[in-house]
């Protein structure tokens, strides 16, 4: 029984931290309403988390936000990804050359999780924050991670429940999603045209390892005209494909049987 109580407390703590991550700042009353818990219980929990530096006082009186101790924990998680270590300098160069937002994502279950993000100078999309996630059917990086799986994975994904629709352009049925995945697989590049955020487009390419298996997705995002416009699209695609291949080579891609693969 004590074990069950301890597990419930840990679960409630995670729920509080998740809500603060989503909201930025919140009062104990707001959190209690979201959780359906007594305000006094939530306040005691916040006080305990504050004592561990996982929560701190917000910018306004009576509010709370995530504490700095979580930064060190998050950094430890992110730094274990070889993909990020090899991709960082390539992403920085791509960001400097284009001025657009650059993402690195890895798959976690039915989601694409952002493990690195360099904000664009012209527009900063809030749809996918560092540490945030999108479902695999929505967005350029997400669909790359799904497209480069076998087709049974596509079927399983579609069968496991209704797909969230972010905009009218989000592919949420098999008839809409499968052709997009096939095109991504054929061309080696994924195109997101306002299917996550109206007015925002993105391109994505796979990061492959020495076995030719997808390990991550590299993506560039910005206002639609800058990403898909006639004057810019070809150059951005070329830069992104070259960047993805560079990171893939660092992970051993193309070293198998002397073959030179080309996913662009």
């Amino acid at each position: 029984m004590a074990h069950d109580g301890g597990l419930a407390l840990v679960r409630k703590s995670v729920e509080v931290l998740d809500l603060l991550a989503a909201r930025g700042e919140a009062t104990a009353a707001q959190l209690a309403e979201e959780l359906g818990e007594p305000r006094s219980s939530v306040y005691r929990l916040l006080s305990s988390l504050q004592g561990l530096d996982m929560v701190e006082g917000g910018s306004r009186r009576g509010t709370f936000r995530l504490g700095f101790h979580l930064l060190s924990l998050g950094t430890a998680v992110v730094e274990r990804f070889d993909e990020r270590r090899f991709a960082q300098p390539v992403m920085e160069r791509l960001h400097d050359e284009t001025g657009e937002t650059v993402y690195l994502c890895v798959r976690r279950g039915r989601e694409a999780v952002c493990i690195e993000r360099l904000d664009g100078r012209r527009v900063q999309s809030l749809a996918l924050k560092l540490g945030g996630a999108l479902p695999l059917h929505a967005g350029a990086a997400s669909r790359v991670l799904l497209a480069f799986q076998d087709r049974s994975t596509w079927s399983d994904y579609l069968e496991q429940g209704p797909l969230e629709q972010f905009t009218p352009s989000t592919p949420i049925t098999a008839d809409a999603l499968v052709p997009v995945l096939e095109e991504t697989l054929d061309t080696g590049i994924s195109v997101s045209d306002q299917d996550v955020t109206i007015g925002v487009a993105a391109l994505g390419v796979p990061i492959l390892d020495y076995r030719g298996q997808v390990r991550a997705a590299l993506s560039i995002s910005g206002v639609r005209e800058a990403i898909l416009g006639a004057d810019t699209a070809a150059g951005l695609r070329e830069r992104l494909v070259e960047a993805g291949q560079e990171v893939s080579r660092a992970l051993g891609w193309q070293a198998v049987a002397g073959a030179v693969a080309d996913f662009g």
Side-chain angles (χ1 to χ4, degrees):
M1 295 295 291
H3 173 74
D4 292 341
L7 184 60
L9 183 60
V10 170
R11 184 178 294 111
K12 199 63 63 181
S13 298
V14 171
E15 290 175 353
V16 166
L17 296 175
D18 283 343
L19 283 173
L20 288 176
R23 283 175 166 264
E25 294 186 354
T27 65
Q30 290 170 330
L31 294 170
E33 183 177 357
E34 288 270 2
L35 295 170
E37 295 285 337
R39 187 183 308 181
S40 58
S41 299
V42 172
Y43 189 82
R44 285 196 299 272
L45 182 55
L46 286 166
S47 297
S48 297
L49 292 171
Q50 195 167 14
L52 297 171
D53 291 328
M54 291 188 174
V55 165
E56 64 183 26
S59 60
R60 293 175 290 108
R61 183 178 177 83
T63 62
F64 296 86
R65 62 189 178 193
L66 297 180
F68 275 98
H69 185 62
L70 291 172
L71 179 62
S72 62
L73 297 179
T75 300
V77 172
V78 168
E79 287 184 347
R80 79 169 188 250
F81 289 101
D82 287 341
E83 298 91 339
R84 179 182 176 275
R85 177 164 58 91
F86 290 125
Q88 185 77 33
V90 179
M91 293 177 67
E92 290 174 355
R93 186 177 70 244
L94 189 61
H95 177 264
D96 290 343
E97 291 173 351
T98 66
E100 305 297 349
T101 302
V102 182
Y103 300 96
L104 182 69
C105 297
V106 296
R107 182 185 173 195
R108 184 184 63 188
R110 291 173 58 82
E111 295 180 321
V113 180
C114 178
I115 62 171
E116 187 56 88
R117 167 181 164 143
L118 302 178
D119 288 337
R121 293 192 289 269
R122 287 182 285 271
V123 62
Q124 297 181 15
S125 172
L126 299 179
L128 186 56
K129 300 178 181 179
L130 182 63
L134 282 173
L136 293 176
H137 67 279
S142 303
R143 285 198 292 271
V144 162
L145 294 172
L146 182 58
F148 280 77
Q149 304 295 328
D150 56 61
R151 288 177 178 266
S152 64
T153 302
W154 300 4
S155 299
D156 290 344
Y157 183 81
L158 284 161
E159 290 169 0
Q160 287 177 18
L163 305 185
E164 182 178 359
Q165 185 168 31
F166 294 87
T167 76
S169 300
T170 311
I172 59 170
T173 65
D175 288 344
L177 182 58
V178 170
V180 174
L181 296 177
E182 290 176 338
E183 182 178 2
T184 298
L185 196 58
D186 288 342
T187 64
I189 191 164
S190 174
V191 179
S192 171
D193 188 358
Q194 305 183 93
D195 64 83
V196 176
T197 304
I198 297 294
V200 174
L203 302 171
V205 295
I207 303 298
L208 306 177
D209 63 16
Y210 68 96
R211 300 167 299 173
Q213 300 295 310
V214 64
R215 286 272 296 267
L218 183 63
S219 178
I220 186 167
S221 174
V223 296
R224 186 182 187 279
E225 294 76 13
I227 301 299
L228 301 181
D231 297 333
T232 57
L236 284 178
R237 285 172 181 249
E238 184 178 353
R239 282 194 176 102
L240 184 62
V241 167
E242 289 175 352
Q245 291 176 344
E246 184 175 345
V247 181
S248 295
R249 284 193 292 269
L251 290 169
W253 175 72
Q254 292 187 338
V256 182
V260 178
D262 183 5
F263 57 77

